[in-house]
Amino acid sequence: MSTVYELAKTDFAPPKTVEELRTYLQAALEIEHLTIPVYLTGLYSIVPGTNAYGCEVIRGVVLEEMLHLTLAANLLNAVGGTPDLSHVVRSYPARLPFAAPSLPLIKLRHYSPEALKTFMRIELPRSLVPPDPHAQDRTWTSIGQFYAAVRTGLDTLEKAAREQNRTIFTGPAGHQLGPADFYNSGGEVFPVTGLGSALLAVDVISEQGEGSQDTIWDSDDKIFGEERQVAHYFRFKEIHEGRRYGKHDLPRSAPSGPLLDITWDDAYPIDPEAKLADYAGNPELHRQAAKFNKRYAFMMALLEVAFHGSPRLMHEAVPQMLALRDESQRLYRNPHPKADLAAKGLHAAPTYELDAKLFAEARAEAARRVRTQAQSATVPAQSAHSSSTHSSSAKDSPKDSAKDSAKDSPKEQRA
């Protein structure tokens, strides 16, 4: 059972101990992962060359979810925990954590109005969550409420520790990922080194998803100095409504800006509950679907090892999404192997299934990559001094420059 679902069964309360805080942050990893296969299915099911705006938006959100996943790992590492990606959702449909039981399951849907409704359900801001007449005061009600509890726990526990001349931030600094390890146009990864950067990480995760201070806007302009844009929920609502938001629009109002060119027919319709077993009657499609799941497991394993102190593997993990795109589209171009579903116009699709054996094999392969990197980094002394040009460029590499600048980054100055 995933940590997040076990936590959702408990009474609502901020974590009261560091051990509880680690449980909450492991749950945060699982929440951020849950979104990625859902959004990738919507993105990769779009017929190539169509729906440029929808592609751009969903791709940007996926990268920001990868940012959130990495920041959650930094938070967990910072307080002495160990990120474990074997606890993530291993198959879909899946239940949305901290949501009313009456809500439908989260399914892998092709690009469509139904898919966008699913995306919006995931990113729904706290202020827009309808009241549950059956919920009690001690009941979890939303993902936004969960992150508010994490924020309170971080603040309360660190302040209590300081009163005893201690800190909760005891994790190894070498397990923190920074801007040199992962960057995208919607913010950047930064190390969590204390309370200020920890609270900032929670704010980035929350506000990119649901908006800042009950507005439609995220806080990237204030935190990262980037152009302000609407938060995830509202970006998805723009696509669903076929219209951009105006600068004076409010969270509870419909978008009032320019119309968008959205064509729902330019997507491969799929079965939202497809499983690998459905392809057993077509050996070629079964092999392709199994290959996709194997690559997906490998990407997750690379991420986990990167979070365990091998940050260079992030440079291998993120490009795996492009390979997943190519392999998924090989499936989408084929009719569903079941005749009744093919007759309805449905296509084959990735299933994003991670069983224990597959993930164990992926972990072993990721560990081999770490050993290979370590061996390639061991260069004989004479080679290291064979060229002054090479020596100079190594000292001033972009990665090192980014790491140096991160020490005095605006994030820690704000903290």
Side-chain angles (χ1 to χ4, degrees):
M1 172 66 76
S2 295
T3 306
V4 66
Y5 292 122
E6 289 297 321
L7 183 59
K9 295 177 183 177
T10 66
D11 289 346
F12 163 73
K16 297 180 177 63
T17 66
V18 173
E19 191 58 39
E20 281 189 5
L21 177 61
R22 291 170 184 159
T23 298
Y24 279 55
L25 293 173
Q26 171 62 36
L29 277 174
E30 296 165 20
I31 290 171
E32 298 309 323
H33 161 265
L34 180 145
T35 69
I36 292 172
V38 180
Y39 298 161
L40 286 181
T41 299
L43 174 63
Y44 293 159
S45 64
I46 296 173
V47 174
T50 69
N51 285 291
Y53 183 79
C55 285
E56 178 186 356
V57 167
I58 301 174
R59 184 184 297 111
V61 171
V62 169
L63 287 173
E64 288 181 6
E65 294 299 345
M66 292 288 285
L67 166 67
H68 299 173
L69 184 73
T70 306
L71 287 176
N74 276 358
L75 282 162
L76 182 53
N77 277 321
V79 297
T82 303
D84 184 351
L85 295 185
S86 70
H87 285 202
V88 300
V89 169
R90 294 190 175 193
S91 65
Y92 294 82
R95 187 161 47 84
L96 183 63
F98 308 122
S102 59
L103 285 178
L105 296 176
I106 300 298
K107 298 181 179 181
L108 301 177
R109 297 185 180 277
H110 63 273
Y111 185 72
S112 61
E114 292 75 17
L116 270 297
K117 287 180 182 177
T118 297
F119 298 175
M120 291 161 61
R121 189 180 308 126
I122 292 171
E123 302 285 356
L124 188 67
R126 276 167 289 176
S127 60
L128 299 183
V129 174
D132 183 350
H134 304 293
Q136 301 175 352
D137 292 341
R138 299 189 304 274
T139 302
W140 292 99
T141 59
S142 68
I143 293 175
Q145 181 202 41
F146 164 76
Y147 275 113
V150 169
R151 199 180 199 285
T152 298
L154 284 163
D155 187 56
T156 302
L157 291 170
E158 175 62 7
K159 287 178 178 176
R162 287 178 182 177
E163 290 177 358
Q164 301 178 20
N165 295 318
R166 297 184 296 104
T167 181
I168 66 172
F169 297 100
T170 59
H175 287 197
Q176 292 293 314
L177 279 76
D181 304 309
F182 176 71
Y183 173 82
N184 71 80
S185 58
E188 63 182 35
V189 171
F190 51 87
V192 173
T193 58
L195 182 60
S197 50
L199 297 181
L200 185 64
V202 175
D203 289 345
V204 169
I205 294 171
S206 298
E207 293 174 3
Q208 283 190 340
E210 65 178 30
S212 173
Q213 300 177 339
D214 199 20
T215 71
I216 65 174
W217 307 100
D218 66 20
S219 51
D220 285 2
D221 56 328
K222 298 175 183 177
I223 296 175
F224 300 109
E226 297 175 350
E227 182 179 357
R228 185 177 70 163
Q229 57 184 337
V230 297
H232 293 181
Y233 173 84
F234 303 101
R235 288 183 226 173
F236 291 145
K237 190 169 183 179
E238 286 183 329
I239 299 174
H240 184 266
E241 301 295 324
R243 186 182 290 273
R244 295 289 300 271
Y245 275 97
K247 63 180 181 180
H248 299 299
D249 286 341
L250 300 174
R252 291 165 183 79
S253 65
S256 66
L259 291 172
L260 292 169
D261 183 17
I262 305 295
T263 56
W264 300 119
D265 290 339
D266 289 321
Y268 297 103
I270 64 170
D271 175 12
E273 301 186 31
K275 294 287 185 290
L276 182 61
D278 296 340
Y279 303 147
N282 186 317
E284 179 58 28
L285 284 181
H286 188 275
R287 183 194 66 79
Q288 185 61 41
K291 181 181 177 183
F292 180 96
N293 288 338
K294 182 175 181 179
R295 185 179 293 279
Y296 173 59
F298 182 53
M299 182 187 79
M300 297 299 294
L302 287 174
L303 288 171
E304 185 180 75
V305 174
F307 298 156
H308 290 178
S310 300
R312 289 176 58 194
L313 281 190
M314 281 295 289
H315 296 282
E316 293 190 40
V318 175
Q320 292 294 322
M321 285 196 293
L322 295 177
L324 289 175
R325 177 199 64 190
D326 295 340
E327 291 187 6
S328 67
Q329 290 179 348
R330 292 190 186 99
L331 285 164
Y332 289 135
R333 288 194 290 267
N334 293 276
H336 197 284
K338 290 189 173 182
D340 57 332
L341 296 181
K344 295 179 181 179
L346 300 186
H347 292 246
T351 61
Y352 290 92
E353 292 171 273
L354 293 177
D355 61 36
K357 180 175 181 292
L358 191 62
F359 198 75
E361 292 172 351
R363 275 176 162 168
E365 178 60 27
R368 283 193 287 271
R369 291 291 180 97
V370 173
R371 292 193 294 271
T372 300
Q373 281 193 352
Q375 292 169 358
S376 64
T378 306
V379 181
Q382 61 269 26
S383 298
H385 296 285
S386 62
S387 170
S388 59
T389 302
H390 291 170
S391 176
S392 174
S393 63
K395 292 179 181 178
D396 300 320
S397 69
K399 289 184 183 179
D400 292 336
S401 298
K403 289 178 180 176
D404 290 340
S405 63
K407 295 177 182 177
D408 300 311
S409 69
K411 308 165 191 63
E412 284 306 314
Q413 291 173 14
R414 290 178 184 273

